[in-house]
Amino acid sequence: MSESQPNAAFTPRVFSGIQPSGNLHLGNYLGALKRFADSQTAGIQSIFCMVDMHAITVWQDPEALRRQTRELTAGFIASGVDPEQSILFNQSQVTEHAQLAWIFNCVARMGWMQRMTQWKDKAGKNQQNASLGLLAYPALMAADILVYHATHVPVGEDQKQHLELTRDIAIKFNNDFGVDFFPITEPVIEGTATRVMSLRDGTKKMSKSDPSDMSRINLTDDADAIAQKIRKAKTDPEPLPESVEGLEDRPEARNLVNIYAALADLSVEQVIAEHGGQQFGTFKPSLADLAVAKLEPISSEMKRLTADPAQIDTILRRGSERAREIAAPIMEKTYEIVGMVR
Ligand code: AQP
């Protein structure tokens, strides 16, 4: 359905978001946070959001949601996202997200929503009892992106389908109203860790909601917990292969090599050149050392930042004001296009 339209008229702008639903993990770091921090140097305006309104599509304890929103903000900053250089805020403080989401609810089709893998996975067999928000989630996500006319969205592999839907919504809006108003967003899914897998099952993605804490490395884990989780990570009995092709059909081995490569900023080829032929008894301690060296400074910085919630709230409020400066005129123009009397 998606057909590309030129985005030449739009200033390049990056948007991405993360849900403050707790258990921020290595997959969120390598697939999102680290790449956000790295992309800041590219000289393109970047907007990063704690998507608290997405989080409540499944029940959240209000106190926990507040704590997790501040903790996630600390996670962004501790990973290297500079709140001066980038715009860092929480979604509910910029009301234009909800306003545009309503317009998109009226543009998107039910069938598009019902086809989403995440809807099927999360609602499961109990769709009648899932929240309406969970079904409409991708329209809010499209609004998050398009209310800034963002042209590029760095995400992990799991968000690809939602980004295709964002493009479809933009194309349908533009066609329905005969305008060229919304850009056709480019997903940016790059690097060796766009899909970090569970440490207990190399065929399942590492996820916040996995009931097993051993399946993921949390950004709040201390050095002992990180080392223990890597030591206990599921593997097969073979040593690491001597070539990259040898990782095919070995999901757990491939996952650990990918994690190593992403943490060390190396290619998979370079990791295999260095560690190929090693037993996991040798490779896992090297990986654990690397993971601790990279993640411990992040977790201690997160701890330091969350000790001052007022400071984090100030950062979010200031970020929201900056975000609104971009979103408000785009929202006004959208209302005008749709025919709302202003
Ligand atoms: N395993 C992963 N590997 C690489 N990237 C990942 N992301 C999430 N999991 C992985 C990326 O992190 C960003 C934040 O996504 P989110 O806030 O939607 O978090 P999520 O997808 O809800 O996280 P989980 O752990 O996958 O949650 P549940 O368990 O609820 O499904 C996105 O860019 C995402 O691609």
Side-chain angles (χ1 to χ4, degrees), residues 211-222:
S212 164
D213 194 58
M214 293 300 283
S215 69
R216 66 181 160 261
I217 294 174
N218 302 300
L219 290 195
T220 48
D221 284 343
D222 61 22

Side-chain angles (χ1 to χ4, degrees), residues 69 107 139 150 164 174 188 198 234 272 284 334:
T69 302
V107 171
E164 277 160 11
N174 288 348
V188 186
S198 157
K234 184 180 167 204
I272 289 295
K284 280 180 171 179
T334 308

Side-chain angles (χ1 to χ4, degrees), residues 281-328:
T282 309
F283 180 64
K284 280 180 171 179
S286 306
L287 176 58
D289 288 347
L290 174 66
V292 168
K294 296 284 178 181
L295 300 180
E296 228 197 0
I298 295 175
S299 82
S300 44
E301 180 63 359
M302 281 174 71
K303 221 178 257 166
R304 193 186 68 77
L305 291 164
T306 46
D308 188 355
Q311 172 67 16
I312 292 189
D313 293 359
T314 304
I315 290 171
L316 292 176
R317 197 164 42 246
R318 173 76 194 110
S320 304
E321 287 161 7
R322 291 169 68 202
R324 283 199 91 170
E325 282 169 22
I326 305 170

Side-chain angles (χ1 to χ4, degrees), residues 39-288:
S39 75
Q40 285 184 121
T41 47
I44 295 176
Q45 183 175 47
S46 300
I47 304 171
F48 298 121
C49 186
M50 324 298 129
V51 285
D52 46 11
M53 298 201 302
H54 283 284
I56 61 163
T57 54
V58 295
W59 163 255
Q60 301 290 331
D61 172 76
E63 257 329 297
L65 181 60
R66 266 186 282 274
R67 190 185 63 248
Q68 287 159 194
T69 302
R70 293 179 181 125
E71 190 176 275
L72 176 57
T73 310
F76 268 87
I77 299 170
S79 301
V81 174
D82 175 355
E84 292 300 319
Q85 195 176 349
S86 297
I87 297 178
L88 204 57
F89 71 105
N90 60 312
Q91 189 185 27
S92 60
Q93 291 206 72
V94 179
T95 48
E96 284 78 4
H97 288 246
Q99 292 174 314
L100 187 58
W102 180 255
I103 306 271
F104 287 168
N105 280 343
C106 301
V107 171
R109 306 290 94 181
M110 287 287 286
W112 299 2
M113 300 296 169
Q114 284 163 339
R115 272 200 296 278
M116 292 296 108
T117 310
Q118 194 180 76
W119 158 250
K120 291 187 206 159
D121 287 351
K122 290 201 171 169
K125 292 197 171 67
N126 205 6
Q127 293 191 352
Q128 294 301 315
N129 255 337
S131 73
L132 185 55
L134 190 65
L135 179 67
Y137 179 114
L140 177 58
M141 180 164 160
D144 298 336
I145 297 164
L146 295 173
V147 83
Y148 300 102
H149 277 183
T151 52
H152 294 83
V153 183
V155 281
E157 185 64 52
D158 58 325
Q159 291 299 328
K160 195 168 174 213
Q161 199 185 29
H162 287 163
L163 287 177
E164 277 160 11
L165 199 127
T166 297
R167 293 163 65 95
D168 291 337
I169 288 177
I171 290 169
K172 186 167 189 308
F173 181 98
N174 288 348
N175 286 342
D176 284 355
F177 294 98
V179 290
D180 222 348
F181 185 60
F182 286 115
I184 311 306
T185 303
E186 290 295 334
V188 186
I189 303 173
E190 307 174 325
T192 48
T194 54
R195 194 169 177 81
V196 176
M197 308 310 274
S198 157
L199 298 180
R200 308 304 300 159
D201 177 351
T203 62
K204 261 174 55 185
K205 103 178 163 127
M206 186 177 285
S207 142
K208 292 171 184 158
S209 55
D210 194 314
S212 164
D213 194 58
M214 293 300 283
S215 69
R216 66 181 160 261
I217 294 174
N218 302 300
L219 290 195
T220 48
D221 284 343
D222 61 22
D224 287 347
I226 295 172
Q228 196 206 23
K229 286 176 180 180
I230 292 177
R231 206 170 44 245
K232 297 215 160 163
K234 184 180 167 204
T235 42
D236 56 43
E238 301 297 318
L240 282 181
E242 305 277 357
S243 72
V244 176
E245 294 70 45
L247 289 170
E248 260 170 53
D249 304 321
R250 295 182 62 189
E252 282 85 16
R254 190 175 58 222
N255 189 35
L256 295 186
V257 169
N258 282 348
I259 292 173
Y260 192 106
L263 282 171
D265 281 319
L266 294 172
S267 66
V268 171
E269 287 77 7
Q270 286 170 309
V271 177
I272 289 295
E274 210 177 303
H275 298 274
Q278 283 179 356
Q279 299 290 342
F280 283 105
T282 309
F283 180 64
K284 280 180 171 179
S286 306
L287 176 58

